mmCIF file of all heavy atoms in Angstrom:
data_model
loop_
_atom_site.group_PDB
_atom_site.id
_atom_site.type_symbol
_atom_site.label_atom_id
_atom_site.label_comp_id
_atom_site.label_asym_id
_atom_site.label_seq_id
_atom_site.Cartn_x
_atom_site.Cartn_y
_atom_site.Cartn_z
ATOM 1 N N ASP A 1 95.106 95.951 104.391
ATOM 2 C CA ASP A 1 94.380 96.565 103.323
ATOM 3 C C ASP A 1 95.330 97.148 102.359
ATOM 4 O O ASP A 1 96.511 96.585 101.992
ATOM 5 C CB ASP A 1 93.345 97.550 103.849
ATOM 6 C CG ASP A 1 91.949 97.325 102.968
ATOM 7 O OD1 ASP A 1 92.065 96.973 101.870
ATOM 8 O OD2 ASP A 1 90.984 97.606 103.680
ATOM 9 N N HIS A 2 95.050 98.331 101.801
ATOM 10 C CA HIS A 2 95.708 98.846 100.580
ATOM 11 C C HIS A 2 97.029 99.421 100.751
ATOM 12 O O HIS A 2 97.451 99.736 101.859
ATOM 13 C CB HIS A 2 94.842 99.728 99.770
ATOM 14 C CG HIS A 2 93.547 99.183 99.334
ATOM 15 N ND1 HIS A 2 93.475 98.148 98.323
ATOM 16 C CD2 HIS A 2 92.204 99.298 99.785
ATOM 17 C CE1 HIS A 2 92.251 97.728 98.247
ATOM 18 N NE2 HIS A 2 91.566 98.353 99.044
ATOM 19 N N LEU A 3 97.875 99.768 99.659
ATOM 20 C CA LEU A 3 99.254 100.160 99.776
ATOM 21 C C LEU A 3 99.396 101.330 98.937
ATOM 22 O O LEU A 3 98.603 101.597 97.954
ATOM 23 C CB LEU A 3 100.224 99.040 99.220
ATOM 24 C CG LEU A 3 100.212 97.641 99.896
ATOM 25 C CD1 LEU A 3 99.053 96.857 99.697
ATOM 26 C CD2 LEU A 3 101.516 96.908 99.635
ATOM 27 N N ALA A 4 100.453 102.158 99.119
ATOM 28 C CA ALA A 4 100.732 103.285 98.279
ATOM 29 C C ALA A 4 102.362 103.432 98.408
ATOM 30 O O ALA A 4 103.058 102.761 99.224
ATOM 31 C CB ALA A 4 100.134 104.565 98.756
ATOM 32 N N VAL A 5 102.920 104.387 97.565
ATOM 33 C CA VAL A 5 104.414 104.398 97.459
ATOM 34 C C VAL A 5 104.870 105.813 97.310
ATOM 35 O O VAL A 5 104.184 106.578 96.744
ATOM 36 C CB VAL A 5 105.008 103.571 96.266
ATOM 37 C CG1 VAL A 5 104.499 104.192 94.957
ATOM 38 C CG2 VAL A 5 106.432 103.480 96.332
ATOM 39 N N ASP A 6 105.959 106.225 98.072
ATOM 40 C CA ASP A 6 106.669 107.479 97.821
ATOM 41 C C ASP A 6 107.790 107.132 96.933
ATOM 42 O O ASP A 6 109.006 106.496 97.532
ATOM 43 C CB ASP A 6 107.198 107.910 99.216
ATOM 44 C CG ASP A 6 108.131 109.136 99.179
ATOM 45 O OD1 ASP A 6 108.443 109.475 98.046
ATOM 46 O OD2 ASP A 6 108.529 109.644 100.402
ATOM 47 N N LEU A 7 107.708 107.435 95.809
ATOM 48 C CA LEU A 7 108.800 106.949 94.793
ATOM 49 C C LEU A 7 110.048 107.627 94.956
ATOM 50 O O LEU A 7 111.192 106.984 94.784
ATOM 51 C CB LEU A 7 108.331 107.193 93.355
ATOM 52 C CG LEU A 7 107.233 106.242 92.715
ATOM 53 C CD1 LEU A 7 106.709 106.777 91.432
ATOM 54 C CD2 LEU A 7 107.793 104.928 92.657
ATOM 55 N N ALA A 8 110.130 108.880 95.366
ATOM 56 C CA ALA A 8 111.468 109.629 95.591
ATOM 57 C C ALA A 8 112.247 108.875 96.652
ATOM 58 O O ALA A 8 113.377 108.746 96.449
ATOM 59 C CB ALA A 8 111.195 111.046 95.919
ATOM 60 N N ARG A 9 111.690 108.495 97.732
ATOM 61 C CA ARG A 9 112.475 107.873 98.819
ATOM 62 C C ARG A 9 112.300 106.306 98.786
ATOM 63 O O ARG A 9 112.832 105.668 99.551
ATOM 64 C CB ARG A 9 111.750 108.258 100.172
ATOM 65 C CG ARG A 9 111.893 109.907 100.468
ATOM 66 C CD ARG A 9 111.415 110.173 101.833
ATOM 67 N NE ARG A 9 111.600 111.525 102.148
ATOM 68 C CZ ARG A 9 110.474 112.388 102.006
ATOM 69 N NH1 ARG A 9 109.450 112.003 101.616
ATOM 70 N NH2 ARG A 9 110.777 113.671 102.361
ATOM 71 N N LYS A 10 111.552 105.913 97.814
ATOM 72 C CA LYS A 10 111.376 104.394 97.649
ATOM 73 C C LYS A 10 110.829 103.795 98.970
ATOM 74 O O LYS A 10 111.449 102.827 99.580
ATOM 75 C CB LYS A 10 112.553 103.607 97.240
ATOM 76 C CG LYS A 10 113.055 103.985 95.895
ATOM 77 C CD LYS A 10 114.211 103.274 95.459
ATOM 78 C CE LYS A 10 114.590 103.697 93.836
ATOM 79 N NZ LYS A 10 115.724 103.023 93.450
ATOM 80 N N ARG A 11 109.799 104.405 99.514
ATOM 81 C CA ARG A 11 109.042 103.892 100.728
ATOM 82 C C ARG A 11 107.564 103.361 100.197
ATOM 83 O O ARG A 11 106.914 104.172 99.598
ATOM 84 C CB ARG A 11 108.944 104.996 101.680
ATOM 85 C CG ARG A 11 110.300 105.380 102.312
ATOM 86 C CD ARG A 11 110.203 106.594 103.231
ATOM 87 N NE ARG A 11 111.574 106.975 103.705
ATOM 88 C CZ ARG A 11 111.659 108.077 104.580
ATOM 89 N NH1 ARG A 11 110.574 108.956 104.742
ATOM 90 N NH2 ARG A 11 112.873 108.243 105.065
ATOM 91 N N LEU A 12 107.294 102.329 100.983
ATOM 92 C CA LEU A 12 106.050 101.737 100.671
ATOM 93 C C LEU A 12 105.174 101.808 101.908
ATOM 94 O O LEU A 12 105.648 101.513 102.962
ATOM 95 C CB LEU A 12 106.040 100.165 100.285
ATOM 96 C CG LEU A 12 104.773 99.635 99.608
ATOM 97 C CD1 LEU A 12 104.646 99.976 98.277
ATOM 98 C CD2 LEU A 12 105.004 98.059 99.805
ATOM 99 N N PHE A 13 103.965 102.208 101.848
ATOM 100 C CA PHE A 13 102.974 102.424 102.914
ATOM 101 C C PHE A 13 101.898 101.232 102.945
ATOM 102 O O PHE A 13 101.390 100.988 101.827
ATOM 103 C CB PHE A 13 102.362 103.738 102.927
ATOM 104 C CG PHE A 13 103.326 104.933 102.669
ATOM 105 C CD1 PHE A 13 103.252 105.640 101.507
ATOM 106 C CD2 PHE A 13 104.284 105.177 103.595
ATOM 107 C CE1 PHE A 13 104.174 106.737 101.314
ATOM 108 C CE2 PHE A 13 105.117 106.209 103.524
ATOM 109 C CZ PHE A 13 105.133 107.017 102.360
ATOM 110 N N ILE A 14 101.665 100.570 104.012
ATOM 111 C CA ILE A 14 100.807 99.518 104.118
ATOM 112 C C ILE A 14 99.810 99.849 105.107
ATOM 113 O O ILE A 14 100.095 99.944 106.311
ATOM 114 C CB ILE A 14 101.651 98.198 104.340
ATOM 115 C CG1 ILE A 14 102.788 97.963 103.477
ATOM 116 C CG2 ILE A 14 100.699 97.026 104.477
ATOM 117 C CD1 ILE A 14 103.736 96.972 103.840
ATOM 118 N N ALA A 15 98.559 99.664 104.807
ATOM 119 C CA ALA A 15 97.373 99.889 105.763
ATOM 120 C C ALA A 15 97.051 98.651 106.419
ATOM 121 O O ALA A 15 96.649 97.742 105.878
ATOM 122 C CB ALA A 15 96.209 100.490 104.910
ATOM 123 N N GLU A 16 97.494 98.672 107.569
ATOM 124 C CA GLU A 16 97.412 97.414 108.403
ATOM 125 C C GLU A 16 96.055 97.506 109.295
ATOM 126 O O GLU A 16 95.934 97.875 110.463
ATOM 127 C CB GLU A 16 98.598 97.316 109.379
ATOM 128 C CG GLU A 16 99.916 97.190 108.585
ATOM 129 C CD GLU A 16 101.226 97.339 109.397
ATOM 130 O OE1 GLU A 16 101.111 97.857 110.429
ATOM 131 O OE2 GLU A 16 102.281 96.912 108.850
ATOM 132 N N LEU A 17 95.049 97.255 108.568
ATOM 133 C CA LEU A 17 93.564 97.507 108.984
ATOM 134 C C LEU A 17 93.421 97.072 110.523
ATOM 135 O O LEU A 17 93.036 97.743 111.308
ATOM 136 C CB LEU A 17 92.666 96.953 108.066
ATOM 137 C CG LEU A 17 91.122 97.286 108.252
ATOM 138 C CD1 LEU A 17 90.467 97.374 106.895
ATOM 139 C CD2 LEU A 17 90.443 96.377 109.157
ATOM 140 N N GLU A 18 93.514 95.777 110.737
ATOM 141 C CA GLU A 18 93.165 95.141 111.989
ATOM 142 C C GLU A 18 94.188 95.485 113.044
ATOM 143 O O GLU A 18 93.934 95.241 114.271
ATOM 144 C CB GLU A 18 92.761 93.736 111.858
ATOM 145 C CG GLU A 18 91.624 93.346 111.105
ATOM 146 C CD GLU A 18 91.175 91.820 111.165
ATOM 147 O OE1 GLU A 18 91.112 91.293 112.161
ATOM 148 O OE2 GLU A 18 90.943 91.230 110.051
ATOM 149 N N ASN A 19 95.344 95.883 112.691
ATOM 150 C CA ASN A 19 96.319 96.216 113.650
ATOM 151 C C ASN A 19 96.312 97.754 113.903
ATOM 152 O O ASN A 19 97.119 98.205 114.741
ATOM 153 C CB ASN A 19 97.755 96.008 112.958
ATOM 154 C CG ASN A 19 98.935 95.579 113.988
ATOM 155 O OD1 ASN A 19 98.535 94.819 114.848
ATOM 156 N ND2 ASN A 19 99.904 96.448 113.874
ATOM 157 N N ASN A 20 95.324 98.379 113.376
ATOM 158 C CA ASN A 20 95.330 99.813 113.436
ATOM 159 C C ASN A 20 96.656 100.580 113.375
ATOM 160 O O ASN A 20 96.786 101.438 114.191
ATOM 161 C CB ASN A 20 94.625 100.101 114.947
ATOM 162 C CG ASN A 20 93.221 99.557 115.114
ATOM 163 O OD1 ASN A 20 92.479 99.876 114.078
ATOM 164 N ND2 ASN A 20 92.923 98.970 116.043
ATOM 165 N N SER A 21 97.175 100.305 112.340
ATOM 166 C CA SER A 21 98.604 100.976 112.177
ATOM 167 C C SER A 21 98.889 101.008 110.582
ATOM 168 O O SER A 21 98.131 100.529 109.740
ATOM 169 C CB SER A 21 99.645 100.107 112.743
ATOM 170 O OG SER A 21 99.620 98.808 112.254
ATOM 171 N N LEU A 22 99.946 101.922 110.327
ATOM 172 C CA LEU A 22 100.401 101.937 109.029
ATOM 173 C C LEU A 22 102.022 101.614 109.050
ATOM 174 O O LEU A 22 102.763 102.264 109.635
ATOM 175 C CB LEU A 22 100.388 103.390 108.539
ATOM 176 C CG LEU A 22 100.867 103.638 107.007
ATOM 177 C CD1 LEU A 22 99.718 103.171 106.096
ATOM 178 C CD2 LEU A 22 101.090 105.206 106.791
ATOM 179 N N GLY A 23 102.216 100.492 108.152
ATOM 180 C CA GLY A 23 103.672 100.016 108.047
ATOM 181 C C GLY A 23 104.251 100.838 107.051
ATOM 182 O O GLY A 23 103.727 101.047 105.944
ATOM 183 N N ILE A 24 105.545 101.139 107.191
ATOM 184 C CA ILE A 24 106.388 101.929 106.222
ATOM 185 C C ILE A 24 107.651 101.099 105.985
ATOM 186 O O ILE A 24 108.412 100.863 106.825
ATOM 187 C CB ILE A 24 106.650 103.251 106.738
ATOM 188 C CG1 ILE A 24 105.308 104.053 106.989
ATOM 189 C CG2 ILE A 24 107.581 104.000 105.724
ATOM 190 C CD1 ILE A 24 105.563 105.412 107.803
#
């Protein structure tokens, strides 16, 4: 599903819906 970003650290967050996890 959806994504967001921490610009200061240049990290992207990924909502891995069916995996029940958040990828960074």
Side-chain angles (χ1 to χ4, degrees):
D1 222 332
H2 298 294
L3 297 80
V5 67
D6 170 355
L7 283 173
R9 299 186 180 94
K10 294 186 181 178
R11 292 174 179 173
L12 192 76
F13 310 113
I14 307 169
E16 298 164 343
L17 187 148
E18 291 189 52
N19 206 56
N20 294 314
S21 58
L22 184 78
I24 302 167

